[in-house]
C-alpha cells in the first residue's frame, strides 16, 4: 500500500525537475515551486504519464501553461528531468519569460513542449508572439534555444502563414533616461 501511495507522488515530482529559466536576479524564494491546479488529476503509473483536466493551470518559475487538458510524459531513456508536455484546449496557452526579459506566448489547439530541447510544437490555429513579432499558421515549430521557427499552412486551405514584424527602435547614446 505504501508503494502505491509513493507512486502517486511521482507525477508531480516529474514536474519538479523541469528546468526554470528564471532570471536569478528576479527569482523569488519559491522560484522552483510548481503550482498545478485543475478540476481532476490522475496518474498512469506504468506509463509514467500524469493527466490533468479541466481548468488546468501550471505555474513554474517564469513558465505558465493553461489548457483544458495536460499530459505530462516522463521519458526514462532521457534521464530524470526529461518530459514532454502536451496541452490541448480551445486554445491551449503557453507563456515563458526569457532571460532577456521578452515573453514568448503561444497558443494552439495542441501545444507540445519538450522540456529537454525547449522546443514548442503548435498544431491547429497556431499563434506565437515574442517581442512584438507575431506568426499565425496551421502549425508552428519553435526551437526556443536556437531561435529557429518553422510555420506551415494547412495543405487543404487557402490561408497562408501570416507574420507581423515590428521594427525595433535602437536607443541613441545618451537617450537612456528619455521615455
Amino acid at each position: 500500500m505504501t508503494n502505491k501511495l509513493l507512486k502517486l507522488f511521482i507525477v508531480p515530482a516529474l514536474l519538479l525537475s523541469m528546468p526554470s529559466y528564471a532570471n536569478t536576479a528576479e527569482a523569488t524564494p519559491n522560484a522552483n515551486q510548481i503550482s498545478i491546479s485543475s478540476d481532476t488529476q490522475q496518474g498512469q503509473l506504468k506509463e509514467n504519464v500524469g493527466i490533468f483536466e479541466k481548468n488546468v493551470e501550471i505555474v513554474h518559475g517564469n513558465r505558465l501553461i493553461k489548457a483544458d487538458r495536460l499530459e505530462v510524459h516522463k521519458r526514462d531513456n532521457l534521464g530524470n528531468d526529461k518530459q514532454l508536455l502536451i496541452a490541448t484546449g480551445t486554445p491551449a496557452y503557453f507563456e515563458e519569460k526569457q532571460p532577456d526579459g521578452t515573453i514568448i506566448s503561444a497558443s494552439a489547439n495542441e501545444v507540445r513542449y519538450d522540456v529537454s530541447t525547449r522546443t514548442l510544437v503548435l498544431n491547429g490555429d497556431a499563434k506565437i508572439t515574442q517581442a512584438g513579432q507575431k506568426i499565425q499558421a496551421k502549425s508552428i515549430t519553435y526551437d526556443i534555444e536556437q531561435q529557429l521557427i518553422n510555420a506551415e499552412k494547412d495543405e487543404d486551405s487557402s490561408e497562408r502563414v501570416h507574420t507581423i514584424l515590428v521594427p525595433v527602435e535602437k536607443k541613441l547614446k545618451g537617450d537612456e533616461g528619455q521615455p
Side-chain angles (χ1 to χ4, degrees):
M1 184 74 158
T2 304
N3 278 344
K4 288 185 180 186
L5 288 175
L6 187 61
K7 287 182 179 181
L8 286 175
F9 295 104
I10 290 174
V11 172
L14 296 175
L15 291 172
L16 287 174
S17 62
M18 292 183 350
S20 173
Y21 297 97
N23 182 343
T24 54
E26 297 177 8
T28 63
N30 293 328
N32 290 325
Q33 177 179 330
I34 297 173
S35 171
I36 306 168
S37 58
S38 64
D39 291 351
T40 64
Q41 299 183 11
Q42 62 178 297
Q44 296 175 356
L45 303 178
K46 286 184 180 182
E47 287 81 29
N48 284 326
V49 176
I51 299 173
F52 306 86
E53 294 183 306
K54 299 179 185 171
N55 302 314
V56 180
E57 181 176 282
I58 295 179
V59 178
H60 177 240
N62 289 330
R63 186 179 302 125
L64 168 70
I65 299 172
K66 292 183 178 183
D68 296 333
R69 176 183 168 93
L70 176 75
E71 294 180 13
V72 179
H73 297 260
K74 182 180 184 292
R75 297 170 292 180
D76 286 330
N77 59 334
L78 295 176
N80 291 335
D81 62 345
K82 310 307 180 201
Q83 291 89 30
L84 174 64
L85 308 176
I86 303 171
T88 55
T90 52
Y93 180 77
F94 174 94
E95 181 179 288
E96 184 177 87
K97 184 176 181 183
Q98 300 302 291
D100 67 0
T102 62
I103 294 176
I104 295 171
S105 62
S107 65
N109 296 335
E110 180 184 82
V111 175
R112 290 176 173 256
Y113 179 62
D114 187 315
V115 176
S116 64
T117 63
R118 296 196 64 225
T119 302
L120 277 173
V121 177
L122 311 170
N123 291 306
D125 197 21
K127 297 174 186 160
I128 193 163
T129 303
Q130 184 176 8
Q133 317 304 323
K134 299 176 185 178
I135 297 178
Q136 288 182 262
K138 177 67 175 179
S139 66
I140 300 172
T141 301
Y142 184 36
D143 181 328
I144 297 169
E145 282 295 313
Q146 300 297 319
Q147 297 286 300
L148 298 173
I149 196 161
N150 182 35
E152 297 180 7
K153 76 176 199 83
D154 185 0
E155 292 179 12
D156 300 328
S157 173
S158 62
E159 288 191 37
R160 299 181 294 168
V161 174
H162 185 113
T163 301
I164 297 173
L165 301 173
V166 178
V168 177
E169 294 183 24
K170 292 183 180 179
K171 289 185 179 182
L172 297 175
K173 194 171 189 175
D175 284 347
E176 288 83 15
Q178 299 297 320

